[in-house]
């Protein structure tokens, strides 16, 4: 699918918000930036659910259809491949930061951390294998992939039924369950008796993203007037701006669920490209911000837990700019190293294959 400028722009903005929100780990009793920034993750789940639906429905035109199990694993393999090498480069950098920043940890402890990180490296944290993690942000990747593993067989088996019936029912049921029992979407590693809350969160919001895809396809068929297009852009931008306003100065509450609805509307409008201002986002610089948002999302978390150890005498106001510089600098490093690794792999792909496979 062609890149969408509006989605790329807001992905970058919300990655910055999540980075700022994680300053809570060194804020102590001081007030930190974006009290409820955790719910920005819902935007990413919605986009992932939308793109999952778009991919599955596009494959519906192929004939003959491959087996469900094959389609499921192929989808997940390509999803993981699209996140590499950034995922593993960011993990390696984060692991190094956690072992070294603020003082080198004992070698036996570093070795223990390396062994226990196997679940994180295999994307299995939200499947129940949540032990030591070098990069706290990887819970989202794990929750998304495990949720997709559960949803895709149903989706591939009955595409139209899943999209028009099962996805809406699961979205309403799972999100409604969290609303009634937990009052919040936060608490990713809270055990719910059968799975982590983060997995339920991913399942519900991914399904809502599928519903966004369905509505978006209908919207693309409507010849909106310029006035209607202006209203759509107002709803798209206004919803995202309200989310920023609310999360900046308000603590966690049921408002998270309202913001989820606003995000669902924004994602639908953005992908429909029906808003009056949609063409303004379609710029190479905005596309780059969208690509950079992933390294930024993955590269800040390790620093947030080490700032107090590195600068024990500093206040939050003194730590925050240092944290931003370290996080953004690390994100750039991950971005550059990943591009270099990707280039090397492409160049020496055949040579590497010959090491293990007879040609």
């Amino acid at each position: 699918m062609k890149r969408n400028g509006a989605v790329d722009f807001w992905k970058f903005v919300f990655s910055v918000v999540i980075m700022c929100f994680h300053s809570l780990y060194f804020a102590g009793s001081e007030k930190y930036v974006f009290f409820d920034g955790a719910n920005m993750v819902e935007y990413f789940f919605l986009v992932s659910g939308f793109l999952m639906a778009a991919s599955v429905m596009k494959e519906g035109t192929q004939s003959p259809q491959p087996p469900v199990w094959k389609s499921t694993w192929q989808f997940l393999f390509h999803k993981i491949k699209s996140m590499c090498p950034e995922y593993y480069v960011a993990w390696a950098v984060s692991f190094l930061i956690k072992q070294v920043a603020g003082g080198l940890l004992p070698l036996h402890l570093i070795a223990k951390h390396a062994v226990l990180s196997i679940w994180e490296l295999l994307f299995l944290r939200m499947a129940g294998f949540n032990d030591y993690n070098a990069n706290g942000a990887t819970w989202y990747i794990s929750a998304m992939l495990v949720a997709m593993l559960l949803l895709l067989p149903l989706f591939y088996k009955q595409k139209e039924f899943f999209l028009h019936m099962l996805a809406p029912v699961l979205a309403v049921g799972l999100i409604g369950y969290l609303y009634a029992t937990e009052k919040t979407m936060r608490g990713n590693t809270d055990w719910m008796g059968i799975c982590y809350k983060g997995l339920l969160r991913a399942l519900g919001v991914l399904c809502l993203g599928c519903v966004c895809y369905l509505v978006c396809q209908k919207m693309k068929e409507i010849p909106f007037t310029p006035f209607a297009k202006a209203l759509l852009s107002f709803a798209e931008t206004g919803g995202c701006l309200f989310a920023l306003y609310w999360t900046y100065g308000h603590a966690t509450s049921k408002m998270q669920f309202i913001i989820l609805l606003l995000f669902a509307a924004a994602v639908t409008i953005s992908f429909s490209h029906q808003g009056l201002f949609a063409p303004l986002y379609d710029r190479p610089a905005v596309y780059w911000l969208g690509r950079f948002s992933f390294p930024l999302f993955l590269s800040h978390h390790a620093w947030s837990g080490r700032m107090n150890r590195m600068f024990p005498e500093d206040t939050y106001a003194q730590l925050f700019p240092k944290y931003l510089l370290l996080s953004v600098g690390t994100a750039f490093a991950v971005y550059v190293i990943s591009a270099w690794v990707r280039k090397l792999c492409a160049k020496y792909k055949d040579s590497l294959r010959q090491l293990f496979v007879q040609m």
Side-chain angles (χ1 to χ4, degrees):
M1 179 180 285
K2 180 183 175 183
R3 297 200 74 92
N4 184 290
V7 172
D8 276 338
F9 175 79
W10 289 112
K11 279 169 57 180
F12 173 75
V13 170
F14 296 142
S15 291
V16 173
V17 172
I18 291 169
M19 175 180 66
C20 293
F21 164 72
H22 283 146
S23 66
L24 70 93
Y25 293 113
F26 58 83
S29 59
E30 297 185 72
K31 184 177 180 180
Y32 55 91
V33 182
F34 287 105
F35 270 21
D36 202 19
N39 64 354
M40 300 295 105
V41 172
E42 266 57 66
Y43 187 88
F44 296 93
F45 276 137
L46 286 166
V47 171
S48 295
F50 184 102
L51 295 176
M52 177 180 74
S55 178
V56 172
M57 296 309 291
K58 183 179 179 181
E59 292 178 25
T61 61
Q62 298 177 357
S63 184
Q65 293 292 303
V68 168
W69 64 265
K70 187 175 183 179
S71 296
T72 298
W73 289 115
Q74 283 181 338
F75 181 99
L76 290 172
F77 174 77
H78 287 298
K79 189 70 177 177
I80 292 171
K81 187 179 177 182
S82 71
M83 296 185 290
C84 295
E86 283 84 356
Y87 181 90
Y88 289 109
V89 172
W91 179 88
V93 173
S94 297
F95 184 85
L96 182 64
I97 292 169
K98 278 199 168 183
Q99 313 314 307
V100 174
L104 182 67
L105 295 180
L107 291 179
H108 75 277
L109 193 56
I110 295 175
K112 179 182 179 181
H113 290 166
V115 172
L116 292 177
S117 293
I118 184 65
W119 310 118
E120 187 176 23
L121 294 171
L122 294 175
F123 308 100
L124 292 174
R125 281 183 62 190
M126 286 294 105
F129 301 92
N130 187 47
D131 212 300
Y132 176 84
N133 57 84
N135 190 347
T138 57
W139 81 266
Y140 161 77
I141 308 295
S142 174
M144 176 188 68
L145 291 174
V146 175
M148 286 180 172
L149 177 61
L150 296 173
L151 294 173
L152 282 168
L154 302 174
F155 204 164
Y156 278 115
K157 185 67 176 178
Q158 294 288 342
K159 294 184 177 69
E160 296 294 335
F161 178 77
F162 181 91
L163 192 62
H164 290 83
M165 180 58 68
L166 197 54
V169 169
L170 286 173
V172 171
L174 291 171
I175 297 171
Y177 174 76
L178 291 176
Y179 184 90
T181 60
E182 300 295 309
K183 314 298 190 255
T184 176
M185 306 281 279
R186 286 180 62 179
N188 308 314
T189 55
D190 293 349
W191 187 250
M192 305 294 291
I194 190 171
C195 66
Y196 287 123
K197 187 195 290 185
L199 181 57
L200 286 183
R201 180 181 179 184
L203 285 165
V205 184
L206 283 175
C207 286
L208 184 56
C210 293
V211 176
C212 292
Y213 169 80
L214 182 62
V215 176
C216 178
Q217 301 313 110
K218 302 296 183 183
M219 285 181 63
K220 288 180 178 180
E221 301 172 359
I222 302 173
F224 289 107
T225 64
F227 176 71
K229 287 176 177 285
L231 288 179
L232 288 174
S233 283
F234 176 79
E236 174 191 16
T237 305
C240 292
L241 289 178
F242 177 80
L244 291 176
Y245 158 75
W246 187 267
T247 57
Y248 183 83
H250 296 81
T252 300
S253 69
K254 286 185 176 181
M255 184 59 74
Q256 283 188 335
F257 297 90
I258 303 299
I259 290 174
L260 174 60
L261 290 180
L262 295 176
F263 279 163
V267 166
T268 304
I269 296 168
S270 293
F271 275 114
S272 75
H273 217 261
Q274 290 278 39
L276 187 64
F277 304 131
L280 299 179
Y281 290 103
D282 294 328
R283 300 286 186 270
V286 179
Y287 297 153
W288 183 85
L289 289 177
R291 290 191 294 270
F292 184 67
S293 66
F294 189 52
L296 185 62
F297 176 79
L298 289 175
S299 301
H300 67 272
H301 202 283
W303 289 119
S304 64
R306 290 297 179 270
M307 298 305 295
N308 290 129
R309 182 181 294 184
M310 294 167 62
F311 309 101
E313 303 300 322
D314 285 10
T315 64
Y316 177 81
Q318 294 170 314
L319 289 172
F320 187 71
K322 296 174 184 176
Y323 166 66
L324 290 184
L325 286 173
L326 288 168
S327 297
V328 174
T330 304
F332 270 110
V334 169
Y335 182 85
V336 171
I337 294 170
S338 297
W340 176 70
V341 171
R342 189 177 290 107
K343 191 174 181 179
L344 278 181
C345 290
K347 184 177 181 179
Y348 297 107
K349 180 173 65 174
D350 293 337
S351 299
L352 290 170
R353 185 179 295 158
Q354 289 176 4
L355 286 175
F356 304 99
V357 181
Q358 292 183 351
M359 305 299 288

